[in-house]
Amino acid sequence: MMSPPRHIAVIMDGNGRWAAERGLARHEGHQRGADAVRRIVRAARELALPTLTLYAFSAQNWARPRAEVVQLMRLLRRFALDERSELMARGIRVVTIGDARRLPRFVRAPLLALEAATATNEKMTLCLALSYGGREAIASAARGLATDVAAGRLRPAEVTEAQLELRLDTRGLPPLDLMIRTSGEQRLSNFLLWEAAYAELYFTPVLWPDFGRATLEAALADYAQRQRRFGMTGEQVVARRARG
Ligand code: FPP
């Protein structure tokens, strides 16, 4: 049996469709999506998962109608303000990835405060991807490498995968083991492109506002029966495991 995933990422999709199915406005879907975020964080902690990364707002989401962007920002602010005591009580550290500079101050300030307040919590890491794009993250890391090469701090031959990874904002998080996407869509949508190289992918038709502990446990059960080979043969993997 495979050891449990150390790092799970979730593409929380389907808020709009959840609302449309009920004849509700999109913002109702996002509101219920925020409730699902609270549920999954609690479930992840109870299941002793060390790291959970949530795609809360993509670099491309800025192109949505302004009213929807503002509503999502308000939900993020509310989360940062209202969840603090529960996150503290559960020993959960919050970090963010993405271009936080693009977030309005009314979101950035409470998020920074939440990150600072929870910085030494050790039971679990909740990573919120905000104004995040995988290509943007890789380009940013490449700029860092180019700057170091131009300054003579690094030789071109030293530009390795490890050196690039050191400049990604996910450095410090465990390798990504499992990527979940809800709502039946089967694509990565610019999420954790580098990190997903060997991640297991799990797609569920469940719409994000309906996601709960049971859906998470179904994903974990599916993950547990997979064999990760990392380019090796199945026989090699079995032999390695036998050797411990
Ligand atoms: C996708 O649904 C979801 C988003 C673009 C935003 C995710 C945000 C939340 C779940 C709420 C706020 C988050 C936190 C951390 C409090 P969609 O609108 O693309 O759905 P659709 O594809 O059905 O239209």
Side-chain angles (χ1 to χ4, degrees), residues 12-17 26 30 33-34 37 56 61 64 76 79 208:
M12 310 182 287
D13 197 8
N15 293 348
R17 273 161 288 165
R26 289 181 63 80
H30 290 318
V37 167
N61 284 153
R64 291 199 174 195
L76 286 166
F79 182 85
W208 177 250

Side-chain angles (χ1 to χ4, degrees), residues 8 34 99 139 198 224:
I8 299 181
D99 189 359
Y198 285 102

Side-chain angles (χ1 to χ4, degrees), residues 124-231:
M124 179 180 131
T125 298
L126 170 64
C127 173
L128 297 176
L130 298 164
S131 192
Y132 176 85
R135 288 181 172 180
E136 288 83 345
I138 295 169
S140 170
R143 267 195 307 281
L145 288 169
T147 305
D148 286 347
V149 169
R153 288 190 290 267
L154 199 69
R155 281 174 288 139
E158 291 170 332
V159 174
T160 56
E161 290 173 35
Q163 283 293 332
L164 192 143
E165 265 175 7
L166 282 174
R167 290 160 180 84
L168 291 174
D169 43 15
T170 48
R171 69 181 167 279
L173 300 179
L176 183 62
D177 293 318
L178 175 62
M179 168 97 80
I180 298 173
R181 183 171 190 147
T182 58
S183 89
E185 309 288 347
Q186 302 193 358
R187 54 180 175 269
L188 296 185
S189 295
N190 205 18
F191 192 37
L192 299 174
L193 296 180
W194 177 284
E195 295 82 351
Y198 285 102
E200 294 295 322
L201 307 179
Y202 181 82
F203 301 104
T204 169
V206 169
L207 302 175
W208 177 250
D210 291 327
F211 197 96
R213 180 170 171 147
T215 336
L216 179 60
E217 286 185 298
L220 291 172
D222 192 282
Y223 176 88
Q225 48 82 36
R226 297 191 192 184
Q227 183 191 52
R228 300 180 77 193
R229 292 195 289 275
F230 299 97

